[in-house]
Amino acid sequence: MFVQFVWILILVLLKLRIMKLNRLLILLGLLNLLIVSCEDPNNWGYDPNYDNMYRPIHFDIVEERPTSVIVSFTGVIDATKYVFEFSEGDSLLFNNIVRTETALVDTLTAYKEESTVTATEYRLLFEDLHGTSRYSIRVKGVDDLTGKESGWTALCFDTPAEQIFTKVVPGITSATLQWDIEKEATNIKYGQLIQNDEPELDTDTLWIEDHQLTDTELQNGQLVISDLQIGTNYIAQILNDGILRGTYTFRTLGSSTSTLINVTPQDDINIVLANVAGTVEAPVDVTLAFEGGLVYKADEIIIPEGIKNIYLSGNIVNGINPVLEMSKFTFSAPMGNFYVQYMDVLSNGGSQFLIEIGNGNCFTNISFTGCTVREVPRSIIRMNSNDAMAESINIDNCILKNIGLSGYGLLNIGKAGTLNSISITDCTLWEIGDQIIDLRVALSEFEFSNCTFYNNETGIPKMFRLDKQPKMITITNCIFSGPNGGSKVNSGNSDYSGWLSYAGCYVTSDMVIDSREFNDAISLEYTSDDLFIDPTNGDFRFKPELKFDGEGVAGDPRWWAN
């Protein structure tokens, strides 16, 4: 463009006849300079030692898991492979390279393909990392044809804590620890949690033993620890050559301040309770200890005046709870806590309700934990007095079968002076009649979460009757399933759609919904027989070939794959 301009200028000057020869020569020289200056200004020489490819523009962590990580990176022009290096225990220093991985370009599938290589995104999963560890990771592109390499792009991340413990079953003075046998482990250390005198300080740990696992324990994935204290908080850690692979806190059964009584099947439980309540130390705390695999029979169990808190606690033997055949619990006077722990409570049909709270009976907590409760004609708990009071009712980690078949539902709260909260969590509800809860009083909080509900022969007309909206209500991560005796089912007794959500819950296709739907629930295209291994006979594990999205999230956790 500059050359054209100069020639035009020359022609103009000639035309005006004001140019002499020497001026013409000067202009021609300028023209030559301009021609030279229009050559490529970037045509420089270069040092072949620095003839490399550009490094990846983007490199990031998509998800950190206890033993794996998903990374995202963009491509490098002319790269035939990508090399990844991991350094453990430092922050971008790469002083401890523990692994090198190579990904060939022709084996990669773009996660997000763009018009240019440098904008195309790839994602890779790297497994077999250590939990609770810091890693530095870097990536470079390599061209195998020319030997050229890009520079490194690096970042660091922390893996969260791993958990290979699958279950901890507490006893009164013992605990059974179970873990995934596919995971390598060498030792388990456990200790007592000591509450610091200063509330703002963390809990201290008094370590008791660091146990080296035997071959038998590793094969079974189970360790029984003994000589623990009753009603005490403990922590257990499982490790593999110093690498922490799981942590579990638990509490032994019963109360540390109670009188411990080992009950035999020949004992009259009412006489045992009357004797301890008659001591001069009354009111007292009592722990009744029952042995797994044994059957205890009683009719009406009367909790006498003079007992402040009572724990009915079962020591599990070979995975079997103690069985208590009875009709009902009766309370002679107001008391504090009433706990039933790891017992198989079987109603003999002598009473419609397992617990009926009337008059001025007062409780702090009423709780069933780790139990199986069966064959109660109406409700496990009925509260029907304006003078009755309780802080909370909690049912956790229980199997509840054939309850409410004569009506009233699993829980029936008709009247109450005070009742703050009710929770039903991590439970399996199997053949439940009328409703899960009949609630006709004001309640601060109601939670129904991680439960598996299955009705095959029984027809439940509605899940919940909530005459008064709780101040806080949570119904989530549950599975509602079964043909329901051929009957349609409503989510509630009336329209609660303005405030009741079933988000995170699943409903199988064989459970036919009536006019009041399960708002925000996920409707499955398959039946309960398609979802569970053998629901009719109480096996609610998910069929592995189905690849159910709720695995590890929804339903009673006892049925999740380890």
Side-chain angles (χ1 to χ4, degrees):
M1 184 174 180
F2 288 106
V3 174
Q4 292 175 346
F5 172 74
V6 173
W7 279 113
I8 293 172
L9 180 60
I10 293 171
L11 291 174
V12 170
L13 292 175
L14 288 172
K15 188 175 181 180
L16 294 175
R17 299 179 179 180
I18 62 172
M19 180 176 290
K20 295 181 180 182
L21 180 59
N22 58 342
R23 292 179 179 174
L24 177 60
L25 293 175
I26 293 172
L27 287 171
L28 289 174
L30 292 172
L31 175 61
N32 288 331
L33 289 173
L34 289 169
I35 291 172
V36 172
S37 68
C38 290
E39 294 180 0
D40 186 1
N42 295 318
N43 189 16
W44 304 96
Y46 65 90
D47 185 343
N49 293 324
Y50 294 93
D51 184 20
N52 293 328
M53 301 182 293
Y54 288 104
R55 68 187 67 201
I57 297 173
H58 168 83
F59 187 38
D60 202 1
I61 300 295
V62 176
E63 183 179 356
E64 301 157 351
R65 300 173 183 173
T67 59
S68 64
V69 65
I70 300 176
V71 300
S72 166
F73 64 99
T74 50
V76 173
I77 295 174
D78 294 332
T80 59
K81 67 182 180 183
Y82 298 95
V83 178
F84 298 84
E85 287 187 347
F86 287 80
S87 179
E88 187 174 3
D90 63 35
S91 300
L92 301 178
L93 298 177
F94 293 93
N95 291 330
N96 182 33
I97 304 296
V98 294
R99 63 191 290 185
T100 300
E101 301 284 348
T102 299
L104 301 177
V105 170
D106 57 8
T107 64
L108 293 176
T109 300
Y111 178 79
K112 185 178 181 182
E113 191 164 4
E114 299 290 351
S115 58
T116 62
V117 173
T118 56
T120 297
E121 180 185 358
Y122 300 93
R123 292 189 176 184
L124 286 178
L125 168 67
F126 295 98
E127 299 181 295
D128 299 323
L129 303 180
H130 294 147
T132 324
S133 300
R134 169 155 290 193
Y135 285 92
S136 296
I137 178 175
R138 59 187 179 184
V139 59
K140 66 180 179 180
V142 177
D143 183 354
D144 282 327
L145 300 178
T146 64
K148 294 181 179 180
E149 298 181 355
S150 75
W152 292 103
T153 300
L155 52 83
C156 66
F157 65 94
D158 297 309
T159 53
E162 189 179 7
Q163 180 60 286
I164 69 171
F165 278 125
T166 58
K167 190 177 183 181
V168 173
V169 180
I172 296 173
T173 58
S174 65
T176 301
L177 314 178
Q178 299 175 357
W179 63 92
D180 186 349
I181 60 174
E182 300 297 325
K183 307 295 185 180
E184 293 185 356
T186 55
N187 58 299
I188 289 178
K189 58 185 297 188
Y190 59 92
Q192 182 180 341
L193 293 174
I194 308 296
Q195 183 63 49
N196 203 295
D197 292 336
E198 301 295 331
E200 66 274 9
L201 298 179
D202 293 335
T203 301
D204 294 328
T205 301
L206 176 63
W207 294 106
I208 299 171
E209 183 179 355
D210 189 348
H211 175 82
Q212 297 298 311
L213 295 169
T214 66
D215 290 341
T216 300
E217 290 164 347
L218 289 170
Q219 291 171 4
N220 296 332
Q222 179 172 299
L223 171 67
V224 178
I225 54 178
S226 304
D227 299 325
L228 304 180
Q229 297 181 28
I230 181 174
T232 302
N233 294 317
Y234 289 90
I235 184 172
Q237 294 182 343
I238 185 167
L239 303 97
N240 183 48
D241 292 330
I243 302 298
L244 181 63
R245 305 212 67 182
T247 301
Y248 210 108
T249 58
F250 61 94
R251 184 180 180 87
T252 49
L253 307 182
S255 169
S256 60
T257 61
S258 67
T259 299
L260 175 62
I261 301 174
N262 291 305
V263 183
T264 71
Q266 293 74 36
D267 289 336
D268 184 321
I269 296 175
N270 287 328
I271 293 177
V272 170
L273 291 174
N275 288 338
V276 71
T279 63
V280 294
E281 294 85 3
V284 295
D285 295 347
V286 177
T287 297
L288 297 182
F290 300 82
E291 194 71 8
L294 300 180
V295 178
Y296 300 80
K297 294 187 178 182
D299 188 32
E300 178 182 6
I301 296 179
I302 301 172
I303 314 300
E305 185 177 0
I307 293 180
K308 182 179 179 181
N309 302 293
I310 187 167
Y311 298 75
L312 284 77
S313 304
N315 275 314
I316 296 177
V317 177
N318 297 324
I320 301 175
N321 287 1
V323 177
L324 176 60
E325 294 184 12
M326 58 173 296
S327 62
K328 65 178 180 178
F329 293 99
T330 300
F331 304 91
S332 301
M335 61 178 301
N337 297 311
F338 175 81
Y339 287 100
V340 184
Q341 303 172 313
Y342 293 89
M343 299 287 295
D344 185 347
V345 181
L346 174 61
S347 172
N348 60 19
S351 173
Q352 296 296 303
F353 307 100
L354 187 63
I355 298 174
E356 189 168 13
I357 304 172
N359 304 321
N361 281 346
C362 305
F363 299 85
T364 303
N365 301 295
I366 301 173
S367 174
F368 288 81
T369 303
C371 297
T372 297
V373 184
R374 301 178 288 151
E375 313 302 333
V376 181
R378 289 188 173 173
S379 305
I380 293 178
I381 299 172
R382 188 192 188 205
M383 182 179 287
N384 196 39
S385 170
N386 289 327
D387 296 325
M389 294 183 289
E391 286 293 319
S392 68
I393 296 173
N394 304 296
I395 302 176
D396 179 66
N397 187 28
C398 292
I399 294 178
L400 313 167
K401 183 183 179 185
N402 289 337
I403 298 174
L405 303 188
S406 297
Y408 283 70
L410 183 73
L411 299 178
N412 188 280
I413 314 298
K415 298 177 183 179
T418 301
L419 179 59
N420 288 328
S421 67
I422 296 175
S423 66
I424 304 173
T425 54
D426 297 355
C427 290
T428 296
L429 290 74
W430 183 13
E431 304 293 354
I432 305 299
D434 211 0
Q435 60 246 320
I436 294 173
I437 183 171
D438 185 336
L439 181 65
R440 308 190 189 195
V441 302
L443 193 68
S444 296
E445 183 176 358
F446 175 64
E447 179 183 5
F448 185 77
S449 63
N450 279 109
C451 291
T452 297
F453 179 96
Y454 175 77
N455 266 16
N456 182 32
E457 299 176 355
T458 306
I460 190 170
K462 73 278 189 188
M463 289 297 170
F464 303 99
R465 175 171 178 167
L466 306 170
D467 286 8
K468 293 189 178 181
Q469 177 184 344
K471 293 180 180 178
M472 182 181 296
I473 183 167
T474 302
I475 298 176
T476 190
N477 294 335
C478 296
I479 300 172
F480 298 92
S481 64
N484 199 46
S487 302
K488 293 183 179 181
V489 60
N490 285 296
S491 64
N493 190 54
S494 58
D495 184 7
Y496 309 141
S497 59
W499 50 270
L500 179 58
S501 171
Y502 286 80
C505 296
Y506 295 83
V507 182
T508 58
S509 61
D510 52 340
M511 177 163 278
V512 182
I513 310 302
D514 204 346
S515 58
R516 292 184 283 279
E517 299 182 353
F518 291 65
N519 296 307
D520 305 317
I522 299 171
S523 297
L524 299 175
E525 296 179 354
Y526 35 85
T527 68
S528 51
D529 287 329
D530 298 328
L531 177 61
F532 303 120
I533 289 180
D534 188 8
T536 304
N537 293 304
D539 189 344
F540 297 101
R541 292 175 295 165
F542 303 127
K543 290 183 177 178
E545 65 272 16
L546 191 63
K547 295 182 178 180
F548 174 49
D549 289 341
E551 172 72 60
V553 178
D556 186 343
R558 83 185 68 234
W559 306 113
W560 297 346
N562 294 331

